[in-house]
Amino acid sequence: MAGGERTDVATAGRPEATLIYNAHAGSGAGPDAEELVSLLDDAGFEARYRPTESAADLDQIFKDDAGLVVVAGGDGTIREVAKRLVNKPRPLAIIPLGTANNTARSLGIDGNVAQLIAGLRSPRRQRLDVARARGPWGDEFMLEGAGLGLFANVLAAYNPEAGKSLMRAVAAAANNLGDAPVRCRIELDGERLDGDFLMVEILNMQAVGPRLALAPEADPGDGLLDLVLVRHENRDAWLAYLRGLVTKGLRKLPSVEVLRGRELKINWRGSAFHVDAQPYCEGGLGSDTKRFSAKIELVPGAIELWLPGTETG
C-alpha cells in the first residue's frame, strides 16, 4: 500500500487505545497483555486491555469504547475485529502474532512487537478495503479472500473448527486433489467469464489460508479485488501449482488468469465455498446436482488503518 498521512500522537495529548489480544495466536510465545499495554503507554497512548472469551464479546466492547483499536493476534482475530469497524470512525492498528499473518504481510507490517507499537507514535493513516460476501450463509464481511474449488474443498474437508491437526490437513488435501472441474457461471463487473475451473478465488489480500500466495500483487487499499481463475482446460501439473504458490509465480502458468474488479456474481455446482477461513456449502462437495450462488462486493476504504511510521521520541 502506498504513502499515507502521517501524524504524531505525542502532539495530541494521550489518545485512547483499546487492546484486543489473542493469547493463543501462533506459538503462544509472544508478549502478554500486560507487556503490550506497557508498550502502548510508552508510545503515548492511554491504553487499556479488554479481555474477551468469544468473538461476541467484541460487540459490547466496541459499543462502549472509543479511540484506536489495537488487535494483537492472527488473521482470524484481526478479521473478527475488522468486520466490526467497517464504516465506523474508530481506527485499527494490527500487531501480527499468528502463524500465516496474511493480512499483516499484505499490508507490509513487519518488525518485532516493540518496534511496531513504537511506530504507532507517528502512524501512517490509510484506508483498508473489505468486501461483503452474500450467499447461502447470509451476509459476511471478507477480509482476505473467498472462493471455491480446490482450497475451499480442502478447507471444508479439514474442518478448522475441529482444531488444528497436521494429519487431518494432509488427509483432506490428499482426498481433494482430483481433477474434477467445478462448473461456474461468473460475472465480474458485468463481464461473463463462464467455464470449468479447478479453483476460483477472489482476493483482497495477497494470500489466504496457510500463506497461499494466490494474488501476490493484490493491494488491499486500491479499491479493487483480484480474481484468480485456474481453468480446467489446458491445466498444469499439480507440482507446477505448488511451485507457483511457493515462488509467487502462479499467475505465470497457462491455466491461470488474474483479473481485477469490484463486484463478482457466481453460480456453481460441485464445490464447497469459503469466506476467509470459514467453509460453507459443504454439501456441494462432489455433488453434480446441488447449485449455489453468491455475490462478493467490494467496500472500498471501509476501515481507517494506522500503520507503524517512523519512531519518534
Side-chain angles (χ1 to χ4, degrees):
M1 297 177 70
E5 177 187 351
R6 291 179 182 269
T7 58
D8 193 334
V9 301
T11 64
R14 290 182 63 84
E16 296 182 7
T18 299
L19 173 66
I20 306 298
Y21 168 65
N22 182 359
H24 306 292
S27 65
D32 59 25
E34 184 176 349
E35 293 174 276
L36 292 170
V37 168
S38 178
L39 289 169
L40 285 166
D41 284 339
D42 291 343
F45 294 94
E46 188 69 39
R48 52 186 167 186
Y49 168 51
R50 295 298 302 267
T52 58
E53 296 295 330
S54 68
D57 293 340
L58 296 171
D59 295 327
Q60 186 60 40
I61 290 173
F62 294 151
K63 179 181 178 181
D64 295 342
D65 285 347
L68 176 68
V69 177
V70 180
V71 55
D75 288 310
T77 305
I78 293 168
R79 176 179 181 264
E80 288 299 328
V81 171
K83 71 182 187 179
R84 289 168 169 82
L85 297 179
V86 171
N87 293 330
K88 300 291 177 60
R90 302 191 64 180
L92 172 68
I94 294 171
I95 307 299
L97 297 178
T99 303
N101 296 320
N102 293 324
T103 302
R105 288 171 179 271
S106 297
L107 294 167
I109 300 174
D110 186 31
N112 64 49
V113 170
Q115 291 172 334
L116 295 178
I117 292 179
L120 295 177
R121 178 184 292 270
S122 180
R124 293 180 290 121
R125 303 189 187 201
Q126 297 181 358
R127 304 301 302 188
L128 175 64
D129 301 335
V130 300
R132 190 185 301 274
R134 297 185 177 95
W137 52 85
D139 196 340
E140 270 287 359
F141 282 113
M142 179 198 93
L143 188 61
E144 295 177 56
L148 50 82
L150 177 61
F151 177 58
N153 290 339
V154 169
L155 191 63
Y158 173 61
N159 185 16
E161 292 186 355
K164 295 181 179 180
S165 166
L166 177 60
M167 292 304 297
R168 282 197 304 105
V170 171
N175 292 332
N176 286 278
L177 285 179
D179 61 354
V182 180
R183 186 154 297 168
C184 301
R185 187 170 73 248
I186 301 173
E187 186 178 303
L188 178 67
D189 291 348
E191 180 183 355
R192 290 285 294 271
L193 302 163
D194 301 355
D196 292 341
F197 301 93
L198 291 177
M199 184 164 58
V200 175
E201 290 286 334
I202 188 160
L203 281 295
N204 186 40
M205 300 295 169
Q206 297 170 0
V208 294
R211 296 187 189 172
L212 299 179
L214 299 172
E217 296 180 9
D219 181 347
D222 65 357
L224 293 170
L225 296 166
D226 281 45
L227 173 63
V228 181
L229 302 173
V230 182
R231 293 189 178 272
H232 185 261
E233 62 267 22
N234 193 31
R235 62 190 182 275
D236 303 283
W238 287 112
L239 184 59
Y241 288 125
L242 295 176
R243 186 184 300 114
L245 287 171
V246 171
T247 63
K248 298 185 179 181
L250 185 72
R251 66 188 304 159
K252 298 178 182 178
L253 298 176
S255 58
V256 178
E257 183 178 7
V258 180
L259 304 168
R260 288 193 169 106
R262 297 186 60 165
E263 181 180 287
L264 176 85
K265 297 177 182 177
I266 184 166
N267 294 270
W268 78 95
R269 61 183 180 183
S271 174
F273 196 91
H274 79 94
V275 178
D276 290 336
Q278 179 62 51
Y280 296 104
C281 307
E282 292 93 331
L285 276 166
S287 173
D288 195 45
T289 57
K290 294 184 178 180
R291 299 175 182 270
F292 305 93
S293 63
K295 177 180 178 182
I296 300 178
E297 184 178 12
L298 189 73
V299 185
I303 298 171
E304 180 182 340
L305 184 69
W306 284 22
L307 299 173
T310 302
E311 181 180 349
T312 61

